[in-house]
Amino acid sequence: MKPEFSKAIIERWKSIDTLTRCKHNHAIKICFFAPFLFGKSYVPECWLRWLQEAGFLKNAKKLEVTCHKDSFFFALDTLDKIFNALVKKMEIPIFFYSCMTVVEDIDSYAQKSEDCTKIGKAESTFCDFLNDHGATFERKMAVLYCAKAYVEYVVYVLELGKSRISDMKNSPETEKKIEKYRQKGNDKFKEGLIERATALYSKAIDLDPYNHYLYGNRAQTYLKKNMFREALWDSRRALILKPTWAKAYYRYAQALYELNFLERAKRENIVGLQFVDDGNEKRDLTLQKIKFDEHSEKPLVNDDDVPDLVEQCGSSGSSDEDNSESSPMPELVSDGLESFSDDASDSEFFEVSDFIE
């Protein structure tokens, strides 16, 4: 990538208005987390292989929408922190240029993961950020992958004039199938046929892996079946897609609580209370907060732990019966699908709300 081209890319990206760029940053975050949460990838296979070597992926050749052990789940917090820090630094043109240089050199010359870290250290401007956020080999690979995901998305957007995720827009026929599965899932849930509801939501997710409502609804079925790790992962998927969805925070906090991550559950509950938009949501989250406050603090996994090689996790309990019993909780299964934003955009670029409905 020639210096003139890199600088032109940066200038065009910076010329996009702040609100639109913010929406793009959210789409970049979805792409960034896609290999870990949504069974998709927007980077070359070699990057997935390096992420596996660093312990962030179980199998680079088989990305799945599933759950893994707790250490891997909490490693997502590390990825999240690095992503947020890098997005802020990308506002500085010289740092953006440095990132593009590092990514291009890795794509051109790196044969193994150790080569990536050496190339990152060789670029002085980027090296400072790499050292600040990459104390270990695993963290360094997380920083480099974040840079790759960001640059890959920006170049794609500016060359084609649309969001990367817009390629996932469903056909009308597929949308009808998704809606059919979703509605049937809702009906089965209301009838108490929880196992069947889970299966129907899963079929819909296979067709639409970026639908926050589907993950949120399936998380609720997992909670009803005491499958708390599965509920934890699906709730997090819903929140990556829709960071202001109060109901997903309720389910996320509940799963954390059931898995004995009490302090983390309290924090997520408080965040969710900031996004309530109706009386029922406020009531449910408030009652949940009272319940949490009545319990003493329990040990919490270190948020900064980097995982060992990812292993498939088991459920925290499940039932093959349709009428599963569990501790009382609000019935928060959503009947409708909504967009990511109520405001239509005047941007020439696609928004996330254009293709998740």
Side-chain angles (χ1 to χ4, degrees):
M1 193 178 296
K2 296 181 179 179
E4 311 85 61
F5 178 75
S6 297
K7 291 178 181 177
I9 287 287
I10 296 170
E11 289 176 1
R12 289 178 61 194
W13 182 252
K14 293 289 289 182
S15 70
I16 299 173
D17 66 271
T18 303
L19 179 59
T20 301
R21 203 161 68 245
C22 182
K23 292 176 180 178
H24 277 303
N25 284 339
H26 181 215
I28 296 172
K29 190 169 190 174
I30 294 171
C31 293
F32 173 74
F33 277 105
F36 316 107
L37 295 174
F38 304 113
K40 303 289 183 180
S41 173
Y42 301 93
V43 297
E45 289 185 8
C46 59
W47 283 89
L48 299 179
R49 186 175 69 250
W50 296 331
L51 285 171
Q52 180 179 338
E53 291 174 11
F56 289 102
L57 286 175
K58 178 185 177 182
N59 188 340
K61 295 182 179 180
K62 189 178 180 181
L63 303 178
E64 298 179 294
V65 181
T66 185
C67 81
H68 302 284
K69 64 180 182 177
D70 291 342
S71 60
F72 180 76
F73 179 85
F74 285 102
L76 296 178
D77 294 338
T78 299
L79 293 169
D80 200 25
K81 292 174 183 176
I82 290 172
F83 179 86
N84 292 335
L86 184 131
V87 168
K88 291 180 180 178
K89 287 286 284 186
M90 283 296 201
E91 294 298 312
I92 305 173
I94 190 172
F95 179 79
F96 199 153
Y97 180 82
S98 181
C99 273
M100 295 185 75
T101 301
V102 168
V103 167
E104 181 186 13
D105 287 348
I106 289 175
D107 286 340
S108 299
Y109 306 115
Q111 299 295 319
K112 51 188 178 180
S113 54
E114 290 80 2
D115 297 336
C116 300
T117 59
K118 290 178 181 178
I119 291 171
K121 291 178 181 178
E123 178 63 35
S124 58
T125 303
F126 184 81
C127 183
D128 292 338
F129 183 85
L130 185 64
N131 290 334
D132 289 342
H133 297 273
T136 64
F137 163 73
E138 292 83 0
R139 286 172 176 267
K140 283 183 172 61
M141 284 310 305
V143 171
L144 292 165
Y145 166 67
C146 187
K148 171 61 177 177
Y150 196 100
V151 170
E152 188 90 359
Y153 179 97
V154 169
V155 173
Y156 184 93
V157 165
L158 295 180
E159 286 185 346
L160 300 183
K162 60 180 181 179
S163 165
R164 193 106 201 211
I165 302 179
S166 64
D167 294 340
M168 304 297 174
K169 189 171 183 179
N170 299 309
S171 67
E173 293 76 15
T174 301
E175 286 293 337
K176 289 180 181 179
K177 290 181 181 179
I178 294 167
E179 175 61 16
K180 179 180 177 181
Y181 287 138
R182 184 198 62 80
Q183 189 57 58
K184 283 188 175 181
N186 289 355
D187 293 341
K188 296 303 179 184
F189 184 91
K190 292 173 183 177
E191 294 170 14
L193 304 177
I194 308 303
E195 197 71 33
R196 295 182 188 179
T198 303
L200 287 162
Y201 291 139
S202 296
K203 287 183 177 180
I205 287 170
D206 288 342
L207 296 174
D208 190 358
Y210 294 117
N211 189 308
H212 65 282
Y213 260 104
L214 296 175
Y215 290 116
N217 286 0
R218 192 171 69 172
Q220 183 70 356
T221 69
Y222 284 141
L223 287 172
K224 294 286 286 185
K225 296 189 293 180
N226 294 337
M227 298 174 67
F228 301 124
R229 282 187 175 80
E230 285 81 356
L232 186 72
W233 281 81
D234 269 2
S235 297
R236 185 148 192 172
R237 291 183 180 102
L239 288 171
I240 289 292
L241 296 169
K242 182 74 171 178
T244 60
W245 193 21
K247 290 180 182 178
Y249 277 104
Y250 177 93
R251 295 161 186 161
Y252 191 39
Q254 189 68 31
L256 286 163
Y257 170 81
E258 299 291 354
L259 292 167
N260 291 329
F261 299 115
L262 179 57
E263 289 306 302
R264 177 64 177 269
K266 288 180 178 179
R267 294 202 302 270
E268 301 300 341
N269 170 274
I270 291 172
V271 175
L273 280 166
Q274 300 174 19
F275 298 117
V276 291
D277 57 12
D278 66 43
N280 290 334
E281 290 178 353
K282 184 175 183 179
R283 179 201 64 198
D284 294 337
L285 282 161
T286 299
L287 290 175
Q288 186 185 60
K289 183 178 186 300
I290 293 171
K291 178 181 178 180
F292 291 171
D293 289 341
E294 290 174 348
H295 289 71
S296 59
E297 181 177 345
K298 299 179 183 180
L300 175 68
V301 169
N302 184 351
D303 290 0
D304 292 333
D305 283 347
V306 173
D308 299 320
L309 288 178
V310 178
E311 298 175 0
Q312 183 73 21
C313 80
S315 303
S316 297
S318 63
S319 172
D320 292 329
E321 299 296 327
D322 286 325
N323 292 288
S324 304
E325 294 183 2
S326 64
S327 57
M329 62 185 67
E331 305 300 340
L332 298 179
V333 167
S334 306
D335 289 324
L337 298 179
E338 66 180 8
S339 66
F340 272 78
S341 171
D342 294 330
D343 300 321
S345 172
D346 294 326
S347 167
E348 61 179 314
F349 301 103
F350 283 89
E351 299 178 28
V352 180
S353 57
D354 288 335
F355 28 83
I356 301 183
E357 300 177 346

